[in-house]
């Protein structure tokens, strides 16, 4: 019998976690530029819902102001829509999963993947998307607070009262998720208390297995 060649397109997902102010939003655009990933920031997708005055906008705004985690069904739906609308197959998902509920909800997404048999395309394969790894920006609490108070981007949650609440949620709900992935050998921990460039040097090593995208030098 003739051997069949299977080629399955795989979706690569990397979760980017770390305390509020650890530098996720600073490093992710660099990963996009160097390694061709699409950056999906859960907090930004939720913020867009607030600004578009969608039916959940007010509720999301109140959760954000209190540093609370929005129900997973809302966040996962936004992430799923953004992934489906993208032509890319490589995603860095920033600020997600923030708690066990987020994690379980995402890991239950079943996606349709195309695959090929003898050059014919089929869209029948049901897959659950598992993160390739978790990029974890490790940074002490005092530095997180200092950075957020200096951020100056007009965020409703960048004030000393909400920062305390966000840090509590981070230690109580997000760290256990990081520990869960660590127990599975999936965490790439980066010392985030260094300069932006030094941190990115370590990030580059972690992403080394993904081919860097060709970059055009605009100065030439
Ligand atoms: N390595 C660094 N050294 C000093 N300042 C930094 C570093 N990385 C980021 N910052 C600054 O710290 C602030 C917070 O960074 P950033 O917005 O990237 O954090 P974040 O992890 O996305 O936070 P959040 O979870 O609140 O969205 C910004 O003002 C940013 O310019
Ligand atoms: N998975 C998530 C991510 C974010 N939120 C809410 O948005 C706030 C801001 O998030 P950043 O990642 O930009 O810091 C966050 O404090 C939560 O209120 C969420 O609910 N779930
Ligand atoms: Mg951010």
């Amino acid at each position: 019998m003739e051997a069949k060649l299977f080629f399955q397109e795989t979706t690569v997902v990397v979760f980017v976690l770390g305390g509020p102010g650890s530098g996720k939003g600073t490093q992710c655009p660099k990963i996009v530029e160097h390694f061709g990933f699409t950056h999906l920031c859960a907090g930004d997708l939720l913020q867009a819902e607030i600004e578009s005055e969608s039916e959940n906008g007010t509720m999301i705004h109140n959760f954000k102001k209190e540093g609370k985690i929005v129900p997973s069904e809302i966040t996962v739906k936004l992430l799923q829509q953004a992934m489906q609308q993208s032509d890319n197959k490589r995603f860095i998902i920033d600020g997600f999963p923030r708690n066990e509920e987020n994690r379980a909800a995402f890991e239950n997404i079943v996606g349709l993947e195309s695959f090929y048999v003898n050059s014919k395309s089929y869209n029948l394969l049901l897959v659950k998307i598992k993160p390739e790894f978790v990029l974890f920006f490790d940074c002490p609490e005092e530095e997180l607070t200092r950075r957020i108070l200096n951020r100056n981007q007009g965020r409703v949650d960048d004030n000393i009262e909400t920062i305390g609440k966000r840090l509590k949620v981070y230690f109580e709900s997000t760290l256990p998720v990081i520990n869960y992935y660590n127990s599975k050998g999936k965490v790439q921990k980066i010392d985030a208390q260094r300069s932006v460039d030094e941190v990115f040097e370590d990030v580059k090593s972690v992403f080394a297995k993904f081919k860097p995208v060709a970059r055009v030098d605009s100065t030439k």
Side-chain angles (χ1 to χ4, degrees):
M1 200 173 112
E2 189 192 338
K4 286 181 179 169
L5 277 179
F6 284 82
F7 169 68
Q8 183 190 326
E9 273 187 298
T10 47
T11 301
V12 177
V13 166
V14 173
F15 291 144
V16 183
L17 291 175
S22 57
K24 303 179 293 295
T26 302
Q27 297 291 330
C28 283
K30 294 173 175 292
I31 301 169
V32 169
E33 189 192 352
H34 283 74
F35 298 101
F37 277 69
T38 292
H39 175 202
L40 299 179
C41 174
D44 288 354
L45 291 171
L46 292 167
Q47 180 62 30
E49 285 295 288
I50 298 172
E51 285 166 21
S52 69
E53 295 176 13
S54 75
E55 55 171 334
N56 293 317
T58 308
M59 183 267 278
I60 296 170
H61 172 82
N62 291 335
F63 270 72
K64 183 169 179 176
K65 221 169 81 184
E66 290 302 313
K68 289 186 187 162
I69 298 167
V70 172
S72 301
E73 60 188 73
I74 294 176
T75 316
V76 168
K77 197 167 151 208
L78 292 171
L79 287 170
Q80 201 175 357
Q81 279 168 355
M83 289 172 76
Q84 279 164 357
Q85 281 161 11
S86 172
D87 291 334
N88 204 346
K89 285 269 168 191
R90 292 176 171 185
F91 299 95
I92 37 174
I93 304 191
D94 161 0
F96 184 96
R98 282 288 233 281
N99 60 9
E100 175 56 26
E101 193 210 9
N102 270 189
R103 185 192 69 75
F106 188 91
E107 291 203 357
N108 277 329
I109 295 178
V110 176
L112 272 181
E113 287 280 359
S114 35
F115 69 101
Y116 299 91
V117 179
N118 294 341
S119 305
K120 270 180 88 178
S121 172
Y122 297 84
N123 279 308
L124 289 168
L125 200 62
L126 290 169
V127 290
K128 287 197 174 190
I129 303 168
K130 295 255 182 251
E132 188 86 0
F133 59 85
V134 175
L135 185 66
F136 167 38
F137 291 116
D138 188 29
C139 194
E141 193 173 335
E142 316 78 65
E143 175 68 6
L144 297 176
T145 306
R146 194 187 63 75
R147 287 185 189 176
I148 292 177
L149 289 177
N150 287 331
R151 180 154 52 183
N152 242 349
Q153 288 174 358
R155 281 178 53 152
V156 69
D157 52 352
D158 279 357
N159 56 74
I160 195 69
E161 201 194 336
T162 314
I163 291 168
K165 293 176 181 171
R166 289 161 73 196
L167 284 168
K168 189 165 184 291
V169 166
Y170 170 67
F171 288 114
E172 288 179 359
S173 302
T174 312
L175 261 187
V177 175
I178 296 167
N179 291 337
Y180 166 85
Y181 283 119
N182 198 33
S183 73
K184 305 220 166 286
K186 286 206 161 192
V187 171
Q188 296 285 350
K189 180 166 147 180
I190 306 273
D191 173 5
Q193 199 187 14
R194 293 168 301 147
S195 73
V196 170
D197 289 346
E198 283 171 319
V199 172
F200 190 58
E201 280 309 305
D202 281 5
V203 170
K204 275 201 284 196
S205 318
V206 169
F207 278 82
K209 70 173 179 175
F210 299 104
K211 209 168 168 259
V213 291
R215 299 172 70 205
V216 180
D217 186 348
S218 56
T219 60
K220 284 184 186 160

